[in-house]
Amino acid sequence: MSTSSVDRPLQPGDRAPNVVLNAISREGKIALDDFRGRSPLLIGLFRGLHCPFCRRHVAAMAQLKPALCEQGVECLAVVNTPVERARLYFRYHPAPDLLAASDPERASHRAFGLREVGMETVMAIPFHLPGELPEPMDVMAMNEFLNKKEGYEITEVDQQAMASSQAQLVGQFLIDRAGIVRWNFTEVLEDGLNTFRAPNPEELMSAASEVAHT
């Protein structure tokens, strides 16, 4: 997939790009243009499923999907995991009715302006997660600890994704029927600032209600 990159995360008022991705939850492709003129769309652009927090973001989106559907808003979760590996994961961790797509090349993330950062930058941040971690850890130790705790088995495909010298930031974008971004939530890679966090559900639902009625 060839998609242009932008140098900052798309903001409300920006036109969303059309991206075409391999579907995980069904056969074939999923294109953002499929939703234009039909329904608003919440798209979540996440790291690979080897990232414990991205698995949680996908699960949170699946939990919110019924309420979003009541507002007429569709959902699409995009992960940087190759499609066959992702299908295997969802076979054992189903997310009923949640559309999901694979983008191991991270083209959709670049198109929405979600940048990559050097691993040396990420490794320099100590993560404090009381109740989750026994002590502050760097990102690799944290991922290893949480994956083991949650029983996620790292495969060779996962190891290849984790071996990248770049770390992908993530975000969620609410797009109206005309293809315009109306709300966003993007990761900020600084200690204590949105790193690994999900958007506030009440804020998201409020934005969805506004978009659905415009």
Side-chain angles (χ1 to χ4, degrees), residues 97-173:
D97 301 322
L98 178 67
L99 280 177
S102 165
D103 184 10
E105 297 179 356
R106 310 179 185 185
S108 57
H109 296 65
R110 291 192 294 273
F112 276 82
L114 294 170
R115 65 190 179 95
E116 298 176 1
V117 296
M119 280 302 297
E120 68 279 2
T121 301
V122 182
M123 291 292 288
I125 300 175
F127 291 98
H128 307 262
L129 299 173
E132 293 269 15
L133 303 176
E135 59 188 9
M137 295 182 178
D138 65 45
V139 66
M140 296 302 290
M142 177 183 67
N143 283 349
E144 182 179 357
F145 180 87
L146 291 176
N147 282 332
K148 183 176 181 179
K149 179 181 178 181
E150 296 175 4
Y152 183 86
E153 183 178 351
I154 296 294
T155 66
E156 183 177 351
V157 171
D158 293 318
Q159 290 174 339
Q160 290 171 355
M162 294 167 68
S164 172
S165 62
Q166 300 291 310
Q168 176 67 62
L169 299 185
V170 306
Q172 299 187 38
F173 299 83

Side-chain angles (χ1 to χ4, degrees), residues 3-11 14-15 17 107-117 168-169 173 184 186-187:
T3 306
S4 299
S5 299
V6 292
D7 59 7
R8 59 165 179 78
L10 295 186
Q11 300 298 312
D14 289 336
R15 177 166 293 278
S108 57
H109 296 65
R110 291 192 294 273
F112 276 82
L114 294 170
R115 65 190 179 95
E116 298 176 1
V117 296
Q168 176 67 62
L169 299 185
F173 299 83
N184 73 349
T186 56
E187 187 171 51

Side-chain angles (χ1 to χ4, degrees), residues 19 21-26 30-32 35 40-46 58 61 65 68 73-79 97-102 108 171-173:
V19 293
L21 303 167
N22 288 318
I24 295 169
S25 44
R26 59 173 172 77
I30 297 175
L32 295 199
F35 300 91
L41 174 70
L42 175 67
I43 182 170
L45 302 172
F46 307 121
V58 171
M61 181 177 280
K65 179 179 168 57
L68 289 165
V73 178
E74 295 284 349
C75 297
L76 173 62
V78 179
V79 293
D97 301 322
L98 178 67
L99 280 177
S102 165
S108 57
Q172 299 187 38
F173 299 83

